[in-house]
Amino acid sequence: MTISKLEYDKRLVKVRERMSVQGLSGILVCDPANLYYLIGYNAWSFYTPQFLFVPIEGNLIFFAREMDARGAFHTAWLSQESVVGYPETYVHRTDRHPFDWAGAVLRDQGCLDSGSRVGVELDAHFFSPKAYFSLVAALPEWELVDSRDLVNWVRLVKSPSEIDLMRAAATVTNAAMQAAIEHIRVGARQCDVAAQISRAQCSGTAKYGGDYPAIVPMLPTGEAASAPHLTWTNREFVDDEAVVVEIAGVHQRYHAPLARTIMLGRPSAALQSLAAATGEGIEAVLGTVRAGISARELASVWNAEISKHGLEKASRIGYSIGIGYPPDWGERTVSLRVEEDTVLQENMTFHLICGMWMDNYGYEVSEPIRVTVDGVEIFTDVPRGLISKGVRS
Amino acid sequence: MTISKLEYDKRLVKVRERMSVQGLSGILVCDPANLYYLIGYNAWSFYTPQFLFVPIEGNLIFFAREMDARGAFHTAWLSQESVVGYPETYVHRTDRHPFDWAGAVLRDQGCLDSGSRVGVELDAHFFSPKAYFSLVAALPEWELVDSRDLVNWVRLVKSPSEIDLMRAAATVTNAAMQAAIEHIRVGARQCDVAAQISRAQCSGTAKYGGDYPAIVPMLPTGEAASAPHLTWTNREFVDDEAVVVEIAGVHQRYHAPLARTIMLGRPSAALQSLAAATGEGIEAVLGTVRAGISARELASVWNAEISKHGLEKASRIGYSIGIGYPPDWGERTVSLRVEEDTVLQENMTFHLICGMWMDNYGYEVSEPIRVTVDGVEIFTDVPRGLISKGVRS
C-alpha cells in the first residue's frame, strides 16, 4: 500500500484549486503532515525549519537543512534538484535564520512576480514568528498572507487509498489497546504498561508495520484522570482506581486513535453512572453520523443525550484525523461542536471522543470513524463501555 | 529525586536576573521545556497554545486550555489560582486565538505598566506567528520583543539535582542501547527493533522509571544511513548493512542521548576507515573537554583530527542538552562548532555527536557528557566503535 504518483498529482491539483479560490500565487508549507501529504517527505527533521514552496504553476521547491535535504529522495517523490539544503551554519543561530537564506534563493529564482500574494501557515506548529519575519524581510516584493490552513482543509475528505491506510492503522490500534488491557493490573508500574503499549504501536501487526504515534500513550489514572493530557509516571497501579487509556495505532503516518477506560477493582457509583451516560451519548452520536449531517447536529445530539443525565461537556466531541506528526494527530480543521457548520461528507474521518473530566475522576470512550453515505464505519474493534479488570478478593 | 521548591526559586531568580540585564519587565514562556524548568508543569498539552507570564516581580500566571489548566496542579508547583484556563471555544478556531483571551486577561489585571518591554520566545517551537499577533493586538501598551531564548540560556549550567537526573536517564539509555544491540539482526523488521528500543525507553530500569523521548528511535539503515533523521520502516535488516542507532534514555524529562553504529556482517573498507577516523576524532575531543575550553576550540580539535584522514564535517559536533520535549532534545543554545565562542563551564552538559553522512552510507558515534573542572564525565556506559553483530557463514 503506497500512495501513487497519480494521487499526489490529484492532491496538488486540489491544493492549487483552493489557492486559486483564495487568490494565492503560491503557498509556503511548513506543517510536517502537509509536507507528507503533498510530497511524501517523512523524517524527524521538523525540529529545524523547513518549507515547501508550491507555486500556482511550475515546479515545487523543498527547503530543508543540508543534512536532511540530501536524504529527502528516500521518502519524497521530488527530484533531487527540487530539494535545496540550507547551510549548516544557519542552524540554531541567534543572529540569522535559515529562512533568510531560503527566502533569498526563492527571490533570486524569480519564481513569482512582484506583488504576488503568497500564503503562509500562520498557525502551524513549527512555524515561528522569527521564521515568518525572516520570510517577510527576504521576500519584500511578495505579500505574505495567512493561508488559513489551506492544505489541512484539502486533507479533510480521504481517498480510498487513505481509507485503506487508516484501516491498517486501526489493526495496530486494536493490538495496542489489547496490550493496555492485558498489562494494566494492580502492582504494575505505569511506565511498564506504557512500554508494552508503545512496543505494540511500533511493531504493528505481522501484516502492517507500526509507526510512531503523534502523541505518546496517555494513561491518566485515579484522581489524575480528571486531567486528560497527563503522561505516565513510575507509580504502581492500585486497587479500585480507573485508568483512562488514549492511544493511536499508526501505519505510514495515518492514525486511528482510540480511548477506553479500564477499572481495577470496584467502580464507584459515580463512575458507573458517568460511564453509562457517556456510553448512551456516544451511541446516540454514532447512530446519527452520515453524510449530509452537520458537525453542529452531531454535537447537539450528544448534548441532548447527556443532559438527560444532568451532564454537560464544554469541549468538542471530536475532530478530523488522518496523517499525524507530533504534537497532534488532529488535522486542525473540523471540530465536532455546536459552533461548527461544516456538513459531513462521505470519507471524512474523525476521532469521535467523549471525554468527561470531573473534579477527581474521569471517563473516556472514543472511536475513530469514517462517514459513509448512510452511516458510519468504525475503524477499530474494541468493545465500548467501562472495561473491568475484576475485583480482587 | 525531585526538584525542590528552593531549586525552582533559584531558577526563577536567575531568570529574573537575566531579564533585568536584558531590560525586560516580563517574559511570556511557551517552550514546554522552559515551562517544566520553571514550574514543573508536565503534560502533553503543548499542541494547543499555552504560556507562562513571568513578571520581573510578583506572581507568575500560567495560561492553558481549560481542560489542562484544571489538572496543572498534578505536576506544577503553582497554586491553582495562578493557573488560568481559557475557554474551549477558543480551541482550533479560524476566527480567534486563545491568546486573544489570555492577553485580555493579562491586560485587565494591569500586571505591568504601559510601555513595559516584555520578552517573547520568537523562535520557540509551539509559538506561532498567529499567537504572536494575538498578543500584540491584545496588549497594545506592551512592547513585545524577542527574549532571545532567555530561559534556555539559564538552563545551560546544570544543578547537582539535574546532574543526578541525567545520570538516571543515562542508565535508561544504556538499557535501550543494549535492547538495540540485542534485537538488530538479519531478518528482524526495523519496526520490531524500534518496538524493543521504545519498550526499554518507556520502562526504564527497576530503579528509574522511563519516560518518552523528545525524538523517537532513529534507525537509518544501509544506504538510508546517509541521511540522519529517517525513522524506521517495516523492512527487514539484511546481511552486510550498517544500522545507525540514535536514541535517548529519559528520566523526569531529562535526556541522555546516545548514538552507535551496528554492523550486520562484513563492514566495507570505506566504513571501517570512516569508523576509525571518527573514533579518533571523538577521542581527541573527549580528551580536550574541560571547564575553560571554548566550544570553538573543541570543534577545532575535531576538525584537525578528521582532516588527517581527508575528512570534513559541515555540521556541528554537539549541542547542549537537559530537559527535552518533542520535537527536540537539544536546548537550542550552545552548539559545538567553530562559530561558537561560549566557554565551557563546569556542569554544562552536551550531546557530543560525531555523525558522518557520506553519499551512500553513514557512521555515528556520540556521548552525552558533563563538563567537569578538569575533564569530562561520560554519562553512559556503552563501548565506542563500530559494533559488529558478526559475519554469517
Side-chain angles (χ1 to χ4, degrees):
Chain A
M1 285 200 305
T2 52
I3 300 298
S4 68
K5 181 62 170 58
L6 180 64
E7 180 156 345
Y8 283 115
D9 290 344
K10 283 186 189 166
R11 292 173 178 184
L12 189 55
V13 166
K14 282 188 206 159
V15 163
R16 283 174 162 159
E17 283 171 353
R18 205 173 174 103
M19 285 165 63
S20 179
V21 170
Q22 292 183 216
L24 299 173
S25 303
I27 54 171
L28 303 177
V29 178
C30 288
D31 181 328
N34 290 341
L35 293 174
Y36 184 68
Y37 182 76
L38 287 176
I39 59 171
Y41 180 66
N42 183 22
W44 195 286
S45 58
F46 41 87
Y47 69 91
T48 49
Q50 51 186 20
F51 72 83
L52 177 71
F53 170 61
V54 182
I56 191 88
E57 57 181 22
N59 290 332
L60 313 190
I61 309 176
F62 179 49
F63 291 90
R65 182 180 179 184
E66 195 174 70
M67 67 166 68
D68 296 312
R70 47 184 296 155
F73 69 92
H74 285 290
T75 57
W77 58 259
L78 285 185
S79 64
Q80 198 63 0
E81 56 267 38
S82 297
V83 180
V84 180
Y86 60 76
E88 290 293 330
T89 50
Y90 280 81
V91 174
H92 289 169
R93 294 291 288 273
T94 51
D95 60 341
R96 66 190 74 170
H97 191 278
F99 290 0
D100 301 343
W101 190 93
V105 170
L106 271 186
R107 194 181 187 212
D108 287 348
Q109 298 202 351
C111 301
L112 294 179
D113 295 337
S114 181
S116 290
R117 268 167 58 94
V118 175
V120 291
E121 297 171 313
L122 280 189
D123 205 23
H125 296 123
F126 313 122
F127 182 49
S128 73
K130 187 170 178 182
Y132 169 77
F133 289 125
S134 288
L135 292 173
V136 168
L139 296 158
E141 295 88 354
W142 293 7
E143 183 193 355
L144 297 181
V145 299
D146 191 356
S147 67
R148 302 182 73 85
D149 299 318
L150 189 153
V151 181
N152 303 61
W153 284 93
V154 170
R155 286 160 50 199
L156 186 55
V157 176
K158 306 298 181 291
S159 72
S161 307
E162 292 184 287
I163 298 295
D164 284 344
L165 289 167
M166 293 181 75
R167 288 181 182 133
T171 67
V172 179
T173 312
N174 291 336
M177 188 59 82
Q178 288 308 326
I181 295 169
E182 179 185 342
H183 290 280
I184 289 174
R185 58 176 174 73
V186 173
R189 295 190 305 174
Q190 292 183 9
C191 54
D192 292 325
V193 170
Q196 292 297 335
I197 295 170
S198 182
R199 183 195 51 71
Q201 288 173 311
C202 298
S203 270
T205 68
K207 191 167 180 186
Y208 300 116
D211 203 346
Y212 61 88
I215 305 177
V216 295
M218 300 282 186
L219 294 175
T221 300
E223 290 210 356
S226 63
H229 298 124
L230 296 178
T231 51
W232 67 82
T233 70
N234 59 1
R235 195 170 73 71
E236 291 179 5
F237 293 105
V238 299
D239 222 346
D240 292 338
E241 72 183 356
V243 188
V244 172
V245 180
E246 186 177 348
I247 58 177
V250 188
H251 185 66
Q252 293 187 36
R253 305 308 319 141
Y254 282 83
H255 282 60
L258 186 70
R260 288 290 183 271
T261 304
I262 298 172
M263 186 68 219
L264 293 171
R266 218 177 286 277
S268 67
L271 180 60
Q272 281 180 305
S273 49
L274 180 64
T278 310
E280 287 173 29
I282 194 169
E283 297 299 336
V285 175
L286 286 169
T288 309
V289 175
R290 62 172 171 76
I293 289 277
S294 70
R296 175 195 305 276
E297 285 169 273
L298 283 190
S300 297
V301 165
W302 162 264
N303 288 340
E305 194 61 41
I306 63 163
S307 72
K308 292 179 193 167
H309 302 268
L311 294 169
E312 59 184 336
K313 173 173 164 64
S315 50
R316 60 190 180 175
I317 58 165
Y319 46 81
S320 185
I321 53 169
I323 299 166
Y325 279 85
D328 196 6
W329 57 48
E331 291 187 314
R332 296 187 289 113
T333 49
V334 175
S335 291
L336 303 179
R337 56 184 163 200
V338 292
E339 299 92 344
E340 176 67 58
D341 293 325
T342 300
V343 173
L344 305 193
Q345 294 175 45
E346 187 185 9
N347 290 340
M348 286 184 182
T349 50
F350 295 97
H351 185 207
L352 171 63
I353 175 155
C354 301
M356 301 296 290
W357 300 287
M358 316 307 276
D359 277 345
N360 56 1
Y361 64 108
Y363 182 79
E364 283 187 41
V365 61
S366 83
E367 294 293 355
I369 61 171
R370 176 175 77 91
V371 177
T372 67
V373 173
D374 54 4
V376 64
E377 172 183 349
I378 298 172
F379 286 120
T380 45
D381 184 23
V382 178
R384 284 188 287 282
L386 187 62
I387 296 169
S388 178
K389 287 278 288 191
V391 183
R392 299 211 301 185
S393 58
Chain B
M1 285 200 303
T2 51
I3 300 297
S4 67
K5 181 62 170 58
L6 180 64
E7 181 157 343
Y8 283 114
D9 290 343
K10 284 185 188 167
R11 293 174 178 185
L12 189 55
V13 167
K14 282 188 204 159
V15 162
R16 283 173 162 160
E17 282 170 353
R18 206 173 173 101
M19 286 166 61
S20 178
V21 170
Q22 293 184 214
L24 299 172
S25 304
I27 55 172
L28 304 177
V29 177
C30 288
D31 181 328
N34 290 341
L35 293 174
Y36 184 68
Y37 182 76
L38 287 176
I39 60 171
Y41 180 66
N42 184 22
W44 195 285
S45 58
F46 42 88
Y47 69 92
T48 50
Q50 52 187 19
F51 72 83
L52 176 71
F53 171 61
V54 182
I56 192 86
E57 57 181 21
N59 290 333
L60 313 190
I61 310 176
F62 180 48
F63 291 90
R65 182 180 179 183
E66 194 174 71
M67 67 167 69
D68 296 313
R70 48 185 293 157
F73 69 92
H74 285 290
T75 57
W77 58 258
L78 286 185
S79 64
Q80 198 63 0
E81 56 268 36
S82 299
V83 180
V84 180
Y86 59 77
E88 289 293 330
T89 51
Y90 280 81
V91 175
H92 289 169
R93 294 291 288 273
T94 52
D95 60 342
R96 67 189 74 170
H97 189 280
F99 289 0
D100 301 343
W101 189 92
V105 170
L106 271 186
R107 193 181 189 209
D108 286 349
Q109 298 202 351
C111 302
L112 294 179
D113 293 337
S114 181
S116 292
R117 268 167 58 93
V118 176
V120 292
E121 298 171 312
L122 280 190
D123 205 23
H125 296 124
F126 313 122
F127 182 49
S128 73
K130 188 170 177 180
Y132 169 76
F133 290 125
S134 288
L135 292 174
V136 169
L139 295 159
E141 294 89 353
W142 292 8
E143 182 193 357
L144 297 181
V145 300
D146 191 356
S147 66
R148 303 181 73 84
D149 300 319
L150 189 154
V151 183
N152 303 62
W153 284 94
V154 170
R155 286 160 49 199
L156 187 54
V157 175
K158 306 299 180 289
S159 72
S161 306
E162 291 184 288
I163 298 295
D164 284 344
L165 289 166
M166 294 183 74
R167 288 182 183 133
T171 67
V172 180
T173 312
N174 291 336
M177 188 59 82
Q178 289 308 326
I181 296 169
E182 178 186 343
H183 290 280
I184 289 175
R185 57 175 175 75
V186 173
R189 296 190 305 174
Q190 291 183 10
C191 55
D192 292 325
V193 170
Q196 292 297 335
I197 296 169
S198 183
R199 182 196 50 71
Q201 288 172 312
C202 298
S203 269
T205 68
K207 190 164 180 187
Y208 300 115
D211 202 346
Y212 62 89
I215 305 177
V216 295
M218 300 283 185
L219 293 175
T221 300
E223 290 211 357
S226 63
H229 298 123
L230 297 177
T231 51
W232 68 83
T233 70
N234 60 2
R235 193 169 75 70
E236 291 179 6
F237 292 105
V238 298
D239 223 344
D240 292 339
E241 71 184 358
V243 188
V244 172
V245 180
E246 186 177 347
I247 57 178
V250 188
H251 185 67
Q252 293 186 39
R253 304 309 316 141
Y254 282 82
H255 283 60
L258 186 70
R260 288 291 183 269
T261 304
I262 299 172
M263 185 69 219
L264 294 170
R266 216 178 286 278
S268 67
L271 180 60
Q272 282 180 303
S273 49
L274 180 64
T278 310
E280 288 173 29
I282 195 169
E283 296 302 335
V285 175
L286 287 169
T288 309
V289 175
R290 61 172 172 77
I293 289 278
S294 71
R296 175 196 305 277
E297 286 169 273
L298 282 190
S300 298
V301 165
W302 162 263
N303 288 342
E305 194 61 39
I306 64 163
S307 72
K308 293 179 192 166
H309 302 269
L311 294 169
E312 56 183 339
K313 174 171 163 66
S315 49
R316 60 189 180 178
I317 58 165
Y319 45 80
S320 185
I321 53 170
I323 299 167
Y325 279 86
D328 196 4
W329 57 48
E331 290 186 315
R332 297 188 288 113
T333 49
V334 174
S335 292
L336 303 180
R337 57 185 163 199
V338 293
E339 300 92 345
E340 176 68 58
D341 293 327
T342 301
V343 172
L344 306 193
Q345 293 175 45
E346 187 185 9
N347 290 341
M348 287 187 183
T349 50
F350 295 97
H351 185 207
L352 171 62
I353 175 156
C354 301
M356 300 298 289
W357 301 286
M358 316 307 276
D359 278 345
N360 56 1
Y361 64 108
Y363 182 78
E364 282 186 40
V365 61
S366 83
E367 295 293 355
I369 60 171
R370 176 175 77 90
V371 178
T372 67
V373 172
D374 54 3
V376 63
E377 172 182 350
I378 298 172
F379 287 121
T380 45
D381 184 23
V382 178
R384 284 188 287 283
L386 186 62
I387 296 169
S388 177
K389 285 280 287 190
V391 183
R392 297 210 303 184
S393 59

